[in-house]
Amino acid sequence: MNQLKGVHHITAITSSAEKIYDFFTNVLGVRLVKKTVNQDDIQTYHLFFADDEGSPGTDMTFFDFPGIPKGVHGTDEISKTSFRVPTDASLDYWVKRFNRLNVKHDGIKEQFGTKTLSFEDFDEQQYQLISDENNKGVASGIPWKKGPIPLEFAITGLGPVFVRVSNFDYFKAVLEQVYLFKEIGKEGSFHLFEMGEGGNGAQVVVEYNAILPRARQGYGTVHHAAFRVEDRAALDAWMTRYESFRVPNSGFVERYYFGSLYANIAPQILFELATDGPGFMGDEPYETLGEKLSLPPYFEAQREEIERLVRPIDTIRSTKVFEKEYED
């Protein structure tokens, strides 16, 4: 059985597609590579932010479900998303940037021997920057070349996924026995698990917490986490593996940009396995990724209806010049 290759994407819920576009574009300097809709709820935007070329393992995506209430953080949730930056010095840059732009953060800390910087957005969505200074394992992506962040400090991809659970023994068994993760570290109530080649791009940090009340999903929380597999054949093999462990699952789901397989593996914890391809450049050229409303071919007949349901968002950047913003 081939191991999972690493983190594929994280999908979260935002209160505002417009505000999250501004935050990722102008504050974090992460490129919007696809503006589409939730394929299961076509009135809802689905925005994909990733590296310069939309590489697997680099994208965080957002739904903006109309009328959804604010989420509540607690136990039994995917609690935090990490982004990789090149060096420890990158974190110093980001502290200055967050201070200037009034982004709430916790300062530079260290966990499992690696420098980190936790912060949040306008919805209290929880994030972390993690330094790749001494990282070994899965390679990261390419920073947005034309974005506002100097490339030596810019975000390059996704780091460890944080999960908070009330039943650690069960969750550990699922990670190790079903998903073939290995536990490689422990600090207090935090446990570090690794898959595939390992490193920042192939890790899950599990926090045991049976004291907090159960989280409630809504805007400001994560919807699901996805892990990488090579192709449809690998996805089919994982489907067979799920069946051997009697894990209820979605079966194959065609997402056009990748193939998917979903499973609720613990209370409120939804994991997706997703193929590395075809990727995001099949229906848009590199130069204008994310600038139009992209729809998979099987939704094109509904384009007029969908465009009436979702309000227009101006995401044109190819005609703009972003000056690199150095922080004094």
Side-chain angles (χ1 to χ4, degrees):
M1 186 73 201
N2 291 329
Q3 287 201 9
L4 300 173
K5 298 175 65 177
V7 181
H8 188 283
H9 68 267
I10 302 294
T11 294
I13 306 169
T14 181
S15 63
S16 168
E18 292 87 347
K19 288 174 70 175
I20 205 67
Y21 169 72
D22 176 71
F23 186 76
F24 268 73
T25 303
N26 298 310
V27 177
L28 298 184
V30 180
R31 189 180 189 190
L32 180 71
V33 297
K34 196 61 57 184
K35 179 172 62 176
T36 185
V37 294
N38 182 331
Q39 295 182 25
D40 302 315
D41 182 3
I42 59 172
Q43 65 178 331
T44 299
Y45 266 119
H46 194 182
L47 304 182
F48 290 75
F49 300 91
D51 77 344
D52 193 65
E53 299 178 354
S55 307
T58 70
D59 54 309
M60 183 161 191
T61 88
F62 287 90
F63 300 137
D64 71 332
F65 296 111
I68 194 170
K70 182 172 172 48
V72 177
H73 294 293
T75 196
D76 296 322
E77 69 163 338
I78 300 170
S79 54
K80 187 188 294 186
T81 302
S82 300
F83 299 108
R84 298 167 69 176
V85 294
T87 61
D88 292 355
S90 304
L91 299 179
D92 296 323
Y93 167 88
W94 284 99
V95 166
K96 294 174 184 177
R97 184 170 183 81
F98 288 162
N99 286 341
R100 178 172 67 83
L101 297 176
N102 296 314
V103 174
K104 185 176 179 181
H105 66 86
D106 293 340
I108 297 172
K109 297 181 180 179
E110 185 172 307
Q111 188 176 39
F112 298 112
T114 304
K115 299 290 186 182
T116 67
L117 173 63
S118 291
F119 66 100
E120 63 184 47
D121 68 12
F122 50 90
D123 286 332
E124 298 181 328
Q125 184 82 239
Q126 301 298 299
Y127 309 98
Q128 171 188 266
L129 299 177
I130 186 166
S131 170
D132 268 350
E133 178 124 346
N134 300 307
N135 185 65
K136 296 178 181 178
V138 174
S140 196
I142 304 165
W144 182 19
K145 294 176 183 176
K146 294 185 178 181
I149 308 301
L151 299 186
E152 62 267 35
F153 305 130
I155 290 170
T156 60
L158 291 173
V161 179
F162 281 72
V163 183
R164 188 182 297 121
V165 296
S166 58
N167 187 341
F168 175 75
D169 290 340
Y170 167 78
F171 199 75
K172 172 183 168 71
V174 170
L175 289 185
E176 292 180 337
Q177 296 173 29
V178 178
Y179 290 100
L180 304 175
F181 281 70
K182 294 180 180 179
E183 185 173 0
I184 63 168
K186 180 180 182 297
E187 290 185 2
S189 59
F190 292 89
H191 302 254
L192 180 62
F193 291 84
E194 199 166 61
M195 69 192 108
E197 295 179 47
N200 287 339
Q203 293 178 341
V204 172
V205 177
V206 180
E207 177 190 356
Y208 169 58
N209 191 312
I211 298 174
L212 287 174
R214 178 167 288 182
R216 187 175 71 241
Q217 194 168 87
Y219 70 80
T221 67
V222 170
H223 187 273
H224 66 269
F227 303 109
R228 294 171 57 199
V229 300
E230 184 68 28
D231 52 24
R232 174 65 188 272
L235 207 59
D236 288 344
W238 277 97
M239 201 180 315
T240 300
R241 185 171 182 83
Y242 277 161
E243 290 166 1
S244 72
F245 281 94
R246 298 183 180 178
V247 174
N249 64 85
S250 65
F252 176 75
V253 180
E254 177 59 72
R255 295 303 190 195
Y256 184 58
Y257 308 111
F258 43 82
S260 296
L261 174 65
Y262 300 86
N264 280 105
I265 63 160
Q268 304 194 114
I269 308 297
L270 176 62
F271 279 176
E272 174 186 355
L273 306 184
T275 61
D276 275 354
F280 297 112
M281 287 196 280
D283 60 349
E284 290 183 282
Y286 165 84
E287 292 77 13
T288 56
L289 283 178
E291 296 193 0
K292 70 173 186 179
L293 179 64
S294 293
L295 297 175
Y298 41 87
F299 280 117
E300 276 297 339
Q302 298 173 262
R303 178 174 283 276
E304 288 189 12
E305 176 192 359
I306 291 170
E307 290 182 342
R308 283 196 301 268
L309 289 171
V310 295
R311 68 240 175 244
I313 300 176
D314 181 5
T315 57
I316 295 175
R317 289 142 298 147
S318 57
T319 59
K320 301 176 182 177
V321 175
F322 289 88
E323 299 292 338
K324 298 300 183 190
E325 297 176 6
Y326 286 87
E327 305 292 337
D328 296 328

